[in-house]
Amino acid sequence: MSAPRTGTGIGLAIVCLGILGIMPVLSNSRPAAFGALGFAFWLSVWQTVFAIPLVVHERRSGTSKLLAVQGGTASRRRALGVVVATGAMFGLSTFLYVFGIEKAGAVSAAIAMQAYPVFAILWESLFLNRRKSRIELLLTAVLIIALYYLGTGGSWRIDGFSPWFLLALGVPFLWSVAHVIIREELGRTPVTPAEVTLLRVAVSMLFLGGVLAITEPQQFALGLLRGDFLLFGLAMGFVYYLELIVWFYAIRHIDVSLASSITTPWPALTMVLSALLLGDRVEPYQIAAFVLIAGCIYGLMIAGLRKSRGVRQPA
């Protein structure tokens, strides 16, 4: 791999911001008869199709490390188990992504997905014994309050809390669990970003395909026979795959914290596009909640960077 280039990483992160902002609008633009589960399956199929050529190229060029796990068969079995488990989580999160955006609305669901740091902090504190500073805990509390405000539609009434918004929160919840598992269990596995992406989307496709076969088998044929279904499944699969692979390559050039700070405003792009293309009304409480949540996320990033620098300094 060539030396990291900051400019390249920043450019790729900006591309991710654009893709993330487009995806909720594209998802809610699909044909009405294209159910959430069928759409999630078919976009996963196309993700897998788009992921294969790059891995094939890596294998031919000798850069592929797929399944080159250090250790004996136990290490290989553990790595395979992690891939299957996290792939199923990502498959479920893909369905919740599509369904949550449909039910909660593109704007509210997009903002809900910014809750990822809350869950990541929770798992790191509970299972990885990583203590958080007072400012991190305060910012997390404010972020949770802002999410509650958004979930109640700006009313603060608990009986007005949207169950669909809660469903959308399941997406960052599953992402955070799967990412913690991958970081801890597969961090030493010498796989490339392209291979990680292929494994993730392929297992997601198989998981969603099994569920679809049981619940809505008619969606299998419609995803290929109806031109509009085919077009939207292919388009969403392409942009979702593109976002995954661009993100992986972005963080090879710049720190995750910098890449995350660049992509944080993506719900603002969703607001603009959903208003222009879908005719959605962006409410003042949504704007207020997003500004507060984005501010907390930036605060958490800065606090984390300061703490890590302090750890490196001699006592």
Side-chain angles (χ1 to χ4, degrees), residues 118-202:
V118 175
F119 297 116
I121 287 173
L122 177 63
W123 305 139
E124 288 174 356
S125 300
L126 290 178
F127 301 112
L128 304 181
N129 199 28
R130 296 177 184 171
R131 301 188 64 180
K132 301 301 174 182
S133 66
R134 290 181 181 178
I135 188 64
E136 286 176 308
L137 294 175
L138 176 61
L139 288 169
T140 301
V142 174
L143 201 158
I144 292 172
I145 292 170
L147 286 169
Y148 172 78
Y149 172 67
L150 180 63
T152 63
S155 70
W156 294 106
R157 293 173 56 89
I158 193 168
D159 58 352
F161 194 88
S162 168
W164 305 122
F165 181 80
L166 192 63
L167 189 72
L169 286 174
V171 177
F173 171 81
L174 288 168
W175 283 347
S176 65
V177 174
H179 288 159
V180 167
I181 294 173
I182 288 173
R183 279 199 301 267
E184 295 304 309
E185 297 295 332
L186 295 182
R188 291 168 297 207
T189 303
V191 294
T192 67
E195 291 167 344
V196 171
T197 303
L198 175 59
L199 290 170
R200 167 178 169 170
V201 298

Side-chain angles (χ1 to χ4, degrees), residues 51-73:
I52 291 173
L54 184 54
V55 174
V56 171
H57 170 72
E58 289 184 342
R59 290 187 67 84
R60 288 177 176 174
S61 63
T63 59
S64 175
K65 305 290 185 181
L66 194 59
L67 298 182
V69 180
Q70 298 297 322
T73 56

Side-chain angles (χ1 to χ4, degrees), residues 263-284:
T263 58
T264 292
W266 70 265
L269 178 58
T270 300
M271 289 182 189
V272 175
L273 293 177
S274 63
L276 292 176
L277 302 178
L278 301 180
D280 292 348
R281 175 181 169 82
V282 180
E283 302 292 346

Side-chain angles (χ1 to χ4, degrees), residues 71-265:
T73 56
S75 296
R76 292 179 184 274
R77 285 197 299 268
R78 188 181 70 179
L80 181 60
V82 168
V83 167
V84 172
T86 56
M89 290 180 191
F90 284 126
L92 179 57
S93 71
T94 301
F95 166 69
L96 292 180
Y97 181 96
V98 173
F99 194 57
I101 287 172
E102 174 188 324
K103 295 297 185 179
V107 173
S108 289
I111 301 173
M113 291 170 198
Q114 298 291 75
Y116 179 88
V118 175
F119 297 116
I121 287 173
L122 177 63
W123 305 139
E124 288 174 356
S125 300
L126 290 178
F127 301 112
L128 304 181
N129 199 28
R130 296 177 184 171
R131 301 188 64 180
K132 301 301 174 182
S133 66
R134 290 181 181 178
I135 188 64
E136 286 176 308
L137 294 175
L138 176 61
L139 288 169
T140 301
V142 174
L143 201 158
I144 292 172
I145 292 170
L147 286 169
Y148 172 78
Y149 172 67
L150 180 63
T152 63
S155 70
W156 294 106
R157 293 173 56 89
I158 193 168
D159 58 352
F161 194 88
S162 168
W164 305 122
F165 181 80
L166 192 63
L167 189 72
L169 286 174
V171 177
F173 171 81
L174 288 168
W175 283 347
S176 65
V177 174
H179 288 159
V180 167
I181 294 173
I182 288 173
R183 279 199 301 267
E184 295 304 309
E185 297 295 332
L186 295 182
R188 291 168 297 207
T189 303
V191 294
T192 67
E195 291 167 344
V196 171
T197 303
L198 175 59
L199 290 170
R200 167 178 169 170
V201 298
V203 175
S204 296
M205 175 189 68
L206 294 174
F207 171 80
L208 290 169
V211 177
L212 189 67
I214 297 172
T215 59
E216 301 177 51
Q218 70 279 4
Q219 291 276 331
F220 278 110
L222 290 176
L224 285 176
L225 297 179
R226 278 190 53 168
D228 52 350
F229 280 29
L230 176 63
L231 176 63
F232 273 88
L234 188 152
M236 188 68 178
F238 174 73
V239 297
Y240 207 153
Y241 166 72
L242 189 62
E243 188 276 324
L244 291 174
I245 198 68
V246 169
W247 173 258
F248 274 124
Y249 280 100
I251 61 177
R252 296 183 76 172
H253 291 280
I254 57 176
D255 291 338
V256 173
S257 58
L258 176 56
S260 298
S261 68
I262 293 171
T263 58
T264 292

